């Protein structure tokens, strides 16, 4: 078997690489019920995607919503489908309890945790794990408001 000879180590100074430094992909995560999926949710995802390369959205299960004292009109499966169909969203995971966030951040190598302004300061403890940002809500639209309109509409009254 012929021995492969190593080329001699060159003493010439190495030319600095011309390749642009590889930018690490920024991974973000956010949490919510996303019932009656609306423009407020889409605006939030769009603004998060302006700050990251990969967006994971944790959608609250129907069981967890009961813990939150919420009853959503749309099932978990359909809410997860709607969120995943949004072009700003890369991945959907399930939210089953309040305490899973720190594990999710580790497990999914998250750099950026984002929530709407109505949660301002509520998840600051996560700042030891990643960047935490609260973005202003979209005014004038909410799942609760849409449910009320739907209910009124259902009762045949004009919206
Ligand atoms: N949101 C918004 N603008 C609106 C309505 C909602 O930016 N007009 C944002 C909220 O601030 C939140 C997200 O959309 O960050 C999802 O809102 P909800 O579906 O109401 O979520 P919530 O039930 O508050 O669940 O562990 C956290 C919980 O899962 C949050």
């Amino acid at each position: 078997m012929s021995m492969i000879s190593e080329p001699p180590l060159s003493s010439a100074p190495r030319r600095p690489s011309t390749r642009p430094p590889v930018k690490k992909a920024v991974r973000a995560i956010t949490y919510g019920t996303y019932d009656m999926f609306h423009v407020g949710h889409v605006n939030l995802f769009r603004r998060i995607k302006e700050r990251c390369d990969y967006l994971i959205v944790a959608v609250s299960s129907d069981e967890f919503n009961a813990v939150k004292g919420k009853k959503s009109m749309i099932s978990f499966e359909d809410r997860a489908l709607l969120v995943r169909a949004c072009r700003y969203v890369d991945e959907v995971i399930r939210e089953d309890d309040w305490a899973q966030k720190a594990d999710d951040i580790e497990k999914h190598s998250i750099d950026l945790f984002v929530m709407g302004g109505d949660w301002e300061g509520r998840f600051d403890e996560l700042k030891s794990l990643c960047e935490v940002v609260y973005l202003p809500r979209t005014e004038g639209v909410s799942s609760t408001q849409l449910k009320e309109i739907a209910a009124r509409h259902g009762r045949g009254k004009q919206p």
Side-chain angles (χ1 to χ4, degrees):
M1 189 178 77
S2 64
M3 285 294 293
I4 299 169
S5 64
E6 294 281 331
L9 285 179
S10 126
S11 56
R14 291 176 67 84
R15 269 178 297 116
S17 158
T18 54
R19 273 199 300 276
V22 178
K23 193 172 90 40
K24 178 183 171 309
V26 175
R27 297 168 61 83
I29 198 163
T30 192
Y31 294 74
T33 301
Y34 309 110
D35 195 19
M36 310 293 276
F37 195 58
H38 57 67
V39 288
H41 302 139
V42 175
N43 283 340
L44 181 70
F45 297 157
R46 178 176 49 75
R47 285 177 291 152
I48 299 173
K49 205 55 186 281
E50 286 164 2
R51 293 166 166 80
C52 74
D53 304 290
Y54 192 83
L55 172 57
I56 299 176
V57 178
V59 175
S60 311
S61 65
D62 296 326
E63 298 75 12
F64 180 49
N65 271 333
V67 173
K68 288 196 281 184
K70 277 192 162 188
K71 172 102 186 63
S72 47
M73 294 269 278
I74 316 284
S75 73
F76 166 74
E77 286 69 26
D78 289 355
R79 287 182 284 114
L81 262 176
L82 286 163
V83 168
R84 186 64 190 87
C86 179
R87 66 191 176 94
Y88 304 115
V89 176
D90 299 289
E91 188 178 341
V92 166
I93 62 173
R94 199 183 150 92
E95 182 184 25
D96 285 305
D97 62 58
W98 290 110
Q100 70 180 69
K101 293 182 176 71
D103 295 345
D104 291 344
I105 289 167
E106 302 279 346
K107 197 168 114 196
H108 297 280
S109 314
I110 296 300
D111 308 294
L112 175 63
F113 170 94
V114 185
M115 289 297 290
D118 49 327
W119 291 92
E120 183 80 37
R122 304 277 295 280
F123 300 112
D124 286 358
E125 77 280 2
L126 299 173
K127 286 184 177 173
S128 60
L129 301 172
C130 67
E131 190 188 351
V132 174
V133 171
Y134 303 96
L135 295 175
R137 281 169 63 91
T138 298
E139 293 313 320
V141 63
S142 74
S143 308
T144 312
Q145 175 205 55
L146 291 172
K147 281 189 252 189
E148 280 158 14
I149 292 171
R152 277 209 306 276
H153 204 63
R155 285 195 298 275
K157 284 207 196 88
Q158 289 312 307

